[in-house]
Amino acid sequence: MPERRTVALVTLGCARNEVDSEELAGRLEADGWELVEDAAHADVAVVNTCGFVEAAKKDSVDALLEANDLKDHGKTQAVVAVGCMAERYGKELAGALPEADGVLGFDDYADISDRLQTILNGGIHASHTPRDRRKLLPISPAERQTAGGVALPGHAQSAEPAPAPEDLPEGIAPASGPRAPLRRRLGSAGPVASVKLASGCDRRCSFCAIPSFRGSFISRRPSDVLQETRWLAEQGVKEVMLVSENNTSYGKDLGDIRLLETLLPELADVDGIERIRVSYLQPAEMRPGLIDVLTSTPKVAPYFDLSFQHSAPGVLRAMRRFGDTDRFLELLDTIRSKAPQAGVRSNFIVGFPGETEADFAELERFLTGARLDAIGVFGYSDEEGTEAETYDGKLDQDTVDARLAHLSQLAEELTAQRADERVGETLHVLVESAGDDDSEGLAFGRAAHQAPETDGQVIFTESAGLVPGRMVEAKAVGTEGVDLVAECIDVEAAR
């Protein structure tokens, strides 16, 4: 019997990339590959790259070079780049990084097993030529669902028949035939997993290149999302995080921009699921009905991952975005009037071309009044192919760095203050680790306002009786920076 082929997936970037890696893992496993965690023990190391900002691209290159080093003293015979950076640069990346034995784009995912086997056998698969993926789908969102022929990683694309769920409200799924659930292999045994709602983005933010290599916005069928959520529940997943480039646009190409409001209660009712979390929301697209569902539906976290980016009107307009400090604060007031404990996080860019001292002060004013639970701050840098790259009024690097340092310190202070405000709150905490060797005997989890990896965690005062995957009630009794220290109220009554 021939020795099994082994492959390791190294994933960088966001939760969307993690879903894509799990899709690739599922396809490879179904075709007879053995998945291993350590690239040094794999015949092929597949690096799922990130192409969003310069720092992420550098991390991707470093990961590829590190994997290449294994060819000298490990089992690894080939290193292959996939993901956003590979899709964005294709042949250019292959030429600049000969250490990669292959550079595969999204169109290669359906045939990933054959591609890797060719490379492993010493053959050459031509690196793809990058193209603007926005041009692959019709301009009209209503025509995209029937366009076909476009690779959409994480969308459960399959020609195999599968029964459509019978418990969705009438009209929630389009008329096209049912498809089989995505082949997916979970990367970890933890209680949390992401599900893709959509791919691509129709917004044209002047600083962002993502639409050019992820394409125009296209929603997944609600029935596919529901089937995958049910499958995850069967695998022991307790919290599902819905991800895409812009979840507030979900359903617009299916004929109903309010589709998310209908789908969320259905997902929350899936047996075994304890929490549904929605990420990547656009402030300008928030609508009263969606706020109501996010703040009042049992098992749906009152969590708002709002992409503010800035709050000074002039900077926002230059970014091709909308809003201002007062409108954003009003939105937050509306959310908290319905759910006082709602969690809110956001990211911001400082040093954008033309940003004045007054603009920067306006952003400080917003952050001071917003009471955000988590804040990410980035210094502006040109992104190839974006509108902002052509702008005049670029700030010198010293000014960008100084503003970044100042706002980062302010963000750290403000989020610590927000954590202090939560002392005394009753929290619903999903236990993620409990007294194992890695945690030095402590138990950790996350409350509704804390997304995985980005927003802090809950540290329990006692680990006795706590089991990973259980949802427990706890009371916040202290803080450690943005983390909350909590004592469990009633382990026996925990779900």
Side-chain angles (χ1 to χ4, degrees):
M1 184 175 180
E3 183 179 354
R4 292 196 73 185
R5 305 162 295 178
T6 55
V7 59
L9 284 152
V10 180
T11 305
L12 295 95
C14 63
R16 302 184 295 274
N17 250 18
E18 292 175 4
V19 175
D20 293 351
S21 284
E22 291 176 354
E23 173 191 356
L24 292 174
R27 291 182 182 276
L28 290 166
E29 187 173 56
D31 204 42
W33 291 76
E34 179 181 351
L35 278 295
V36 297
E37 291 187 12
D38 190 343
H41 300 154
D43 297 317
V44 183
V46 177
V47 180
N48 191 347
T49 60
C50 179
F52 180 38
V53 293
E54 205 59 43
K57 286 183 279 189
K58 181 182 183 303
D59 289 343
S60 295
V61 170
D62 289 345
L64 287 163
L65 293 175
E66 183 178 338
N68 182 69
D69 290 341
L70 298 175
K71 290 192 286 188
D72 294 330
H73 51 266
K75 182 181 179 181
T76 309
Q77 301 174 51
V79 175
V80 176
V82 300
C84 291
M85 188 177 179
E87 174 65 37
R88 183 177 182 183
Y89 294 106
K91 290 182 178 179
E92 181 183 343
L93 177 62
L97 198 70
E99 291 85 354
D101 299 288
V103 177
L104 306 181
F106 297 148
D107 294 332
D108 292 304
Y109 282 22
D111 300 308
I112 187 66
S113 179
D114 290 342
R115 301 287 187 265
L116 296 190
Q117 188 62 61
T118 295
I119 295 168
L120 185 60
N121 290 343
I124 297 175
H125 179 73
S127 302
H128 79 104
T129 301
R131 51 184 174 168
D132 189 337
R133 296 190 73 86
R134 290 172 292 192
K135 299 178 180 179
L136 302 183
L137 288 167
I139 294 176
S140 169
E143 297 175 5
R144 293 174 188 166
Q145 288 290 323
T146 57
V150 178
L152 299 168
H155 275 233
Q157 292 171 298
S158 172
E160 302 172 27
E166 298 177 354
D167 54 352
L168 284 172
E170 184 178 355
I172 195 173
S176 57
R179 294 191 294 268
L182 175 69
R183 283 177 171 173
R184 180 174 177 181
R185 182 183 188 272
L186 291 178
S188 69
V192 184
S194 297
V195 169
K196 275 198 175 180
L197 268 186
S199 284
C201 185
D202 287 343
R203 301 183 71 87
R204 294 295 179 262
C205 300
S206 63
F207 56 84
C208 183
I210 289 176
S212 66
F213 56 85
R214 276 290 184 181
S216 297
F217 185 89
I218 184 166
S219 303
R220 284 185 72 191
R221 294 179 2 145
S223 54
D224 290 344
V225 177
L226 183 56
Q227 286 182 41
E228 188 170 351
T229 299
R230 286 174 171 158
W231 177 80
L232 289 171
E234 292 169 359
Q235 312 310 306
V237 169
K238 299 299 181 183
E239 177 177 323
V240 167
M241 185 163 71
L242 302 178
V243 299
S244 75
E245 278 74 22
N246 177 10
N247 281 335
T248 33
S249 283
Y250 180 70
K252 73 174 186 179
D253 52 325
L254 296 173
D256 185 1
I257 191 62
R258 296 176 297 279
L259 198 53
L260 185 55
E261 289 96 297
T262 309
L263 180 60
L264 283 172
E266 293 284 334
L267 297 174
D269 281 344
V270 171
D271 287 342
I273 296 298
E274 297 289 352
R275 179 183 289 154
I276 299 291
R277 185 183 302 276
V278 184
S279 61
Y280 304 109
L281 300 169
Q282 287 292 338
E285 297 181 31
M286 289 302 296
R287 48 196 178 269
L290 181 55
I291 295 174
D292 288 342
V293 171
L294 288 170
T295 55
S296 65
T297 307
K299 295 189 178 182
V300 173
Y303 175 80
F304 293 81
D305 177 10
L306 293 163
S307 177
F308 289 119
Q309 301 300 345
H310 212 283
S311 72
V315 176
L316 287 169
R317 301 306 174 269
M319 289 178 168
R320 303 294 183 199
R321 298 177 67 85
F322 307 94
D324 56 47
T325 296
D326 293 333
R327 290 182 191 178
F328 290 163
L329 291 175
E330 183 180 350
L331 172 61
L332 295 177
D333 286 343
T334 299
I335 290 169
R336 289 172 175 142
S337 70
K338 297 175 181 295
Q341 290 184 227
V344 187
R345 81 169 321 275
S346 191
N347 294 323
F348 300 89
I349 298 173
V350 297
F352 193 79
E355 180 190 63
T356 65
E357 289 285 355
D359 293 330
F360 187 65
E362 185 69 2
L363 178 55
E364 287 187 276
R365 181 171 81 88
F366 171 68
L367 288 179
T368 302
R371 297 167 55 231
L372 303 180
D373 292 281
I375 300 171
V377 185
F378 302 88
Y380 173 81
S381 61
D382 284 336
E383 270 298 304
E384 182 182 350
T386 62
E387 181 183 355
E389 185 186 25
T390 69
Y391 283 0
D392 295 328
K394 301 281 178 61
L395 278 63
D396 64 82
Q397 194 58 50
D398 287 344
T399 299
V400 174
D401 291 344
R403 291 182 183 180
L404 174 62
H406 177 81
L407 207 70
S408 296
Q409 181 177 353
L410 178 63
E412 185 176 343
E413 294 170 357
L414 292 173
T415 51
Q417 289 174 16
R418 178 64 181 137
D420 287 337
E421 292 177 13
R422 290 192 178 275
V423 172
E425 286 186 359
T426 298
L427 312 169
H428 288 94
V429 184
L430 179 64
V431 181
E432 294 190 322
S433 63
D436 53 36
D437 293 338
D438 292 338
S439 62
E440 300 180 347
L442 297 174
F444 298 89
R446 286 179 302 99
H449 70 280
Q450 297 167 319
E453 299 182 5
T454 60
D455 300 347
Q457 60 187 349
V458 171
I459 307 167
F460 288 98
T461 55
E462 296 285 344
S463 62
L466 296 177
V467 178
R470 294 185 72 181
M471 189 73 75
V472 303
E473 247 189 21
K475 182 178 180 180
V477 296
T479 64
E480 292 186 8
V482 298
D483 297 334
L484 295 180
V485 178
E487 56 185 24
C488 196
I489 294 174
D490 188 355
V491 175
E492 295 301 321
R495 292 198 301 268

